[in-house]
Amino acid sequence: MQGITVRSETADDIKAIDVVHLSAFEGDDEVGLVSALRESSGFRPELSLVAEFHGRIVGHVLMTPVRLQRGKDGIDILALAPMAVVPSQSHRGIGSDLVKAAIDKAREQGFSAIVVIGQPDFYQRCGFRPGSDFGISVNLPVADKLISAIEIEEGVLAEGGHVIYPSQFNHVY
Ligand SMILES: CC(C)(COP(=O)(O)OP(=O)(O)OC[C@H]1O[C@@H](n2cnc3c(N)ncnc32)[C@H](O)[C@@H]1OP(=O)(O)O)[C@@H](O)C(=O)NCCC(=O)NCCS
């Protein structure tokens, strides 16, 4: 969307990011998830993206490295979650801009795929495909149809696999 800047978070953005999630979700589970992930060893601030509009943070998306297990082997991919846009600015393309920026950032950082849980129509409009197309399952109690994934490196998900979300996600799903 015109006028939107997407950039990685800085320490000054933390409170504004919490406000975005509190306004977009019911309850504070996602705020807790972001805080817990920020304190975890896998946290990388460059993978936490904010959308700024007229100097105000109106959206946020976080990506966390997760293991895609295949038998004894596996690869590290990214899990996209949580993601939110403040309700007053939703349906204007900001969410789509954030997802596109997240894919670009993942590619720039050398990751070959992203997995996401939730709102399949939205993510699949942004280039994701149903997880079932790839044979991807997750270690969380969610319906298969809620899992979507995107290959950044073509063919990397062809063998499918089981995504191991870190324990911080157990409280949200
Ligand atoms: C899901 C969410 C992040 C989407 O953010 P968003 O900024 O509204 O996303 P977009 O505007 O890119 O797309 C949303 C809709 O607006 C439409 N849209 C996009 N640009 C538009 C524009 N310029 N004009 C009108 N509509 C537009 C899209 O087609 C889409 O339509 P839909 O009603 O079929 O979904 C946001 O609604 C949100 O924070 N929801 C609550 C939290 C949540 O559920 N997070 C995701 C968990 S999986």
Side-chain angles (χ1 to χ4, degrees):
M1 191 183 103
Q2 217 176 358
I4 289 285
T5 309
V6 178
R7 59 168 176 79
S8 294
E9 75 163 46
T10 68
D12 291 341
D13 300 323
I14 290 175
K15 278 189 185 152
I17 290 171
D18 286 353
V19 171
V20 169
H21 290 290
L22 283 172
S23 69
F25 289 100
E26 282 175 27
D28 60 3
D29 281 357
E30 285 72 18
V31 170
L33 176 61
V34 173
S35 307
L37 289 172
R38 203 180 265 120
E39 284 163 22
S40 72
S41 57
F43 179 71
R44 294 173 51 170
E46 65 272 23
L47 299 176
S48 174
L49 303 178
V50 294
E52 232 176 0
F53 186 54
H54 295 310
R56 180 178 160 230
I57 290 181
V58 294
H60 174 246
V61 60
L62 179 60
M63 292 186 290
T64 302
V66 289
R67 193 77 177 156
L68 177 68
Q69 259 183 3
R70 297 157 164 172
K72 287 181 188 162
D73 296 328
I75 56 169
D76 290 330
I77 64 169
L78 290 175
L80 186 157
M83 145 127 193
V85 171
V86 294
S88 62
Q89 298 293 334
S90 68
H91 293 274
R92 300 178 68 180
I94 298 172
S96 307
D97 285 353
L98 271 170
V99 174
K100 282 181 205 135
I103 297 167
D104 288 346
K105 180 59 78 174
R107 182 180 293 113
E108 177 200 299
Q109 295 293 314
F111 287 93
S112 57
I114 306 173
V115 62
V116 65
I117 295 169
Q119 304 211 9
D121 292 351
F122 172 71
Y123 292 108
Q124 287 167 26
R125 264 203 314 268
C126 297
F128 283 71
R129 284 169 50 196
S132 55
D133 280 11
F134 301 111
I136 287 181
S137 56
V138 301
N139 66 335
L140 294 170
V142 297
D144 278 351
K145 65 180 180 197
L146 292 180
I147 304 169
S148 304
I150 186 168
E151 291 180 333
I152 293 170
E153 192 185 313
E154 209 183 321
V156 74
L157 297 178
E159 289 173 45
H162 189 60
V163 179
I164 308 298
Y165 277 79
S167 59
Q168 288 84 356
F169 284 86
N170 294 342
H171 304 289
V172 177
Y173 294 101

